[in-house]
Amino acid sequence: MNSLEVCLSPRLAHLFSFEHKTAVIIDIFRATSCFVTGIANGIRSIRTVSTIDECKIWQDKGYVGAAERGGMKVEGFSLGNSPFEYTDKALAGKRVVATTTNGTLAVAKSEKAKSTILASFLNISAVAAYLRENHEDAILICAGWEGQVNLEDTVFAGALIDKLVSSHQPVGDPSSLSLISYYTSKHKLNDLLSAGEHAQRLLNLNLRKDIDFCLQWDLCDLVPVLKKGEFSL
Amino acid sequence: MNSLEVCLSPRLAHLFSFEHKTAVIIDIFRATSCFVTGIANGIRSIRTVSTIDECKIWQDKGYVGAAERGGMKVEGFSLGNSPFEYTDKALAGKRVVATTTNGTLAVAKSEKAKSTILASFLNISAVAAYLRENHEDAILICAGWEGQVNLEDTVFAGALIDKLVSSHQPVGDPSSLSLISYYTSKHKLNDLLSAGEHAQRLLNLNLRKDIDFCLQWDLCDLVPVLKKGEFSL
């Protein structure tokens, strides 16, 4: 058995040792759901950066720029943080550079990990299979919201742990909390996650369709992996 | 209705605004359980400090010194962090200075709050009554373990929220997670909390009796309040 830990917020990442482990980035609403969707639709690679300025620099180098702050697309970029933007067939073969409020910080915090992958409900079974097959200890990093622990990423962590009982031993109280929150809510998952703080924020922006999209299980059978600074297949 | 938020770790305290609010310190295993027990047994006041050195300084001034690190009493101090030490009748009327691994950090993080109180299962109904009657917004600060979110403090936060439905509106996903974890576990609370990481650490130190003691509800009807740097009645 390998071990599996849960980091409930990027602000707690310094408490974990990432060496020799696989970091699993979770930002259900909406960064990892977007990136998985984009890669499934033929985007060649996605580079995540922490700041708007960095994003501009890479956009100027020819990348398609995606920038979101506070749920909204930032002016001057081609994409925001809605999964529907990432299904555009014109993006096939393109390189994307992206910065979002929470998800890209979670990626930055995983820099010492042996490998880093992207997880969402859209590819949960593929992620579970990847982790089962690569035989490495794993840390699930929940992106949260501006440092706060959130509901959807925590519950997703529990759902993923539930798929890994044969290969990974959950370690630590945060993994227990994730499992408890998933077991409690699994029969009413969409109701619960739609009631979360972040979902409410998206609903206020008329983004119900984004929420529903991000809560679909196993829409694609792939796992974006970080290679030379960019996520790709 | 007043608002109620949950801070799942002292390392996340900077994300909250404490002004005009009541901070509720929660460190079930074992600091707040000890302090509540001590005050119930006649200790005049308890000053919490962050470091062993500060603790020594106050001990030299005539306070009874209590110091714990990693679950063990620190050499050179009269008390550690077991609630049974705090039932000693010889402590009645004495001033205590205490430093513990997690609980005293949580107190330090609440310094901007309008008032700060100590909560544990031992005085949960008294704390709920205090909060209902003082009509202030509240932030529950879970001490956790060395910065990590833990099971027992989170579940306790949920139990306290459950007692405050008529007076306080839970705000934010961490309060939802606390409530979910409490609702799920309330019929097997002692089993779940004894399985937590910190409880296992205490069991390895032969401290089963401490765990059982700290999980008793409403052993005393009092709320220690921070006044001029010390908790007292």
Side-chain angles (χ1 to χ4, degrees):
Chain A
M1 294 281 267
N2 286 105
S3 74
L4 184 156
E5 296 163 275
V6 176
C7 172
L8 290 170
S9 157
R11 304 282 179 131
L12 300 173
H14 62 286
L15 301 171
F16 294 80
S17 163
F18 286 93
E19 278 86 2
H20 314 299
K21 294 177 186 164
T22 300
V24 181
I25 310 298
I26 300 166
D27 186 5
I28 299 304
F29 298 142
R30 300 166 283 167
T32 56
S33 299
C34 282
F35 301 159
V36 165
T37 301
I39 297 285
N41 280 280
I43 286 177
R44 181 171 163 195
S45 69
I46 298 173
R47 173 177 293 270
T48 61
V49 294
S50 298
T51 67
I52 302 282
D53 284 347
E54 280 174 279
C55 202
K56 269 193 190 123
I57 290 168
W58 286 95
Q59 188 171 247
D60 291 344
K61 287 183 187 176
Y63 282 63
V64 178
E68 171 264 347
R69 286 295 182 269
M72 306 289 284
K73 182 159 90 171
V74 180
E75 223 185 291
F77 294 92
S78 307
L79 303 171
N81 198 21
S82 167
F84 294 102
E85 298 174 281
Y86 285 77
T87 59
D88 183 353
K89 295 299 173 200
L91 292 170
K94 299 277 174 66
R95 289 180 188 273
V96 168
V97 59
T99 184
T100 69
T101 310
N102 306 295
T104 52
L105 177 64
V107 175
K109 293 289 184 184
S110 76
E111 62 177 355
K112 290 191 176 160
K114 185 173 172 191
S115 54
T116 300
I117 64 176
L118 298 179
S120 68
F121 284 109
L122 306 172
N123 68 336
I124 184 169
S125 293
V127 168
Y130 177 99
L131 291 171
R132 274 195 299 269
E133 286 157 21
N134 89 340
H135 302 293
E136 283 172 12
D137 296 338
I139 301 182
L140 315 187
I141 310 180
C142 299
W145 176 261
E146 295 186 344
Q148 288 283 14
V149 176
N150 78 12
L151 209 51
E152 63 275 11
D153 296 343
T154 305
V155 168
F156 175 86
L160 185 55
I161 296 172
D162 184 55
K163 284 185 172 287
L164 294 168
V165 282
S166 64
S167 62
H168 285 73
Q169 174 68 43
V171 172
D173 283 2
S175 62
S176 305
L177 280 168
S178 303
L179 258 181
I180 289 170
S181 65
Y182 170 64
Y183 284 145
T184 307
S185 59
K186 66 179 178 178
H187 299 300
K188 47 184 178 183
L189 205 61
N190 290 24
D191 288 348
L192 179 79
L193 298 189
S194 299
E197 241 186 325
H198 194 163
Q200 289 298 317
R201 210 175 287 119
L202 295 173
L203 287 173
N204 289 338
L205 298 170
N206 280 324
L207 293 171
R208 169 91 247 172
K209 65 184 195 332
D210 281 31
I211 294 174
D212 292 339
F213 187 92
C214 295
L215 295 180
Q216 298 172 99
W217 292 52
D218 293 327
L219 217 59
C220 36
D221 184 26
L222 57 85
V223 180
V225 179
L226 190 61
K227 288 176 254 181
K228 296 181 184 168
E230 304 191 356
F231 288 99
S232 64
L233 293 182
Chain B
M1 294 280 268
N2 285 104
S3 74
L4 184 155
E5 295 164 275
V6 176
C7 172
L8 291 171
S9 156
R11 304 281 180 130
L12 300 173
H14 62 285
L15 301 170
F16 294 81
S17 162
F18 285 94
E19 278 86 2
H20 314 299
K21 294 177 187 165
T22 300
V24 182
I25 310 298
I26 300 166
D27 185 5
I28 299 305
F29 298 143
R30 299 165 283 167
T32 56
S33 300
C34 282
F35 301 159
V36 166
T37 301
I39 298 285
N41 280 279
I43 286 176
R44 181 172 163 193
S45 70
I46 299 173
R47 173 177 293 269
T48 61
V49 294
S50 298
T51 67
I52 302 281
D53 284 347
E54 279 175 277
C55 202
K56 270 194 190 120
I57 290 168
W58 286 95
Q59 187 172 246
D60 291 345
K61 287 182 185 175
Y63 282 63
V64 178
E68 170 265 346
R69 286 296 181 269
M72 306 287 285
K73 181 159 91 169
V74 179
E75 224 186 290
F77 293 92
S78 307
L79 302 171
N81 198 20
S82 167
F84 294 101
E85 299 176 282
Y86 284 77
T87 60
D88 183 353
K89 295 299 172 202
L91 292 170
K94 298 278 173 66
R95 289 180 187 273
V96 168
V97 59
T99 184
T100 68
T101 311
N102 307 294
T104 53
L105 177 65
V107 174
K109 293 289 184 184
S110 76
E111 61 177 356
K112 290 191 176 159
K114 185 172 173 192
S115 53
T116 300
I117 64 175
L118 299 179
S120 67
F121 284 108
L122 305 173
N123 69 334
I124 183 169
S125 293
V127 168
Y130 178 98
L131 291 171
R132 274 196 299 268
E133 286 157 22
N134 89 340
H135 301 292
E136 282 172 12
D137 296 338
I139 302 182
L140 315 187
I141 310 180
C142 298
W145 176 262
E146 294 186 346
Q148 288 283 14
V149 176
N150 78 13
L151 209 51
E152 64 275 11
D153 296 342
T154 305
V155 168
F156 174 86
L160 185 54
I161 295 171
D162 184 55
K163 285 186 173 284
L164 294 169
V165 283
S166 64
S167 62
H168 285 72
Q169 174 68 41
V171 172
D173 284 1
S175 63
S176 305
L177 280 169
S178 303
L179 258 182
I180 289 169
S181 65
Y182 170 64
Y183 285 144
T184 307
S185 59
K186 66 179 176 176
H187 298 300
K188 47 184 178 184
L189 205 61
N190 289 25
D191 288 348
L192 179 79
L193 299 188
S194 299
E197 241 186 325
H198 194 162
Q200 289 298 317
R201 210 176 285 119
L202 294 174
L203 287 173
N204 289 338
L205 298 170
N206 279 323
L207 294 171
R208 170 91 247 171
K209 66 185 195 332
D210 281 32
I211 294 174
D212 292 340
F213 187 92
C214 296
L215 295 180
Q216 298 172 99
W217 291 53
D218 294 325
L219 216 58
C220 35
D221 184 26
L222 58 86
V223 180
V225 179
L226 190 62
K227 289 175 255 184
K228 296 182 183 167
E230 305 191 355
F231 288 98
S232 64
L233 293 182

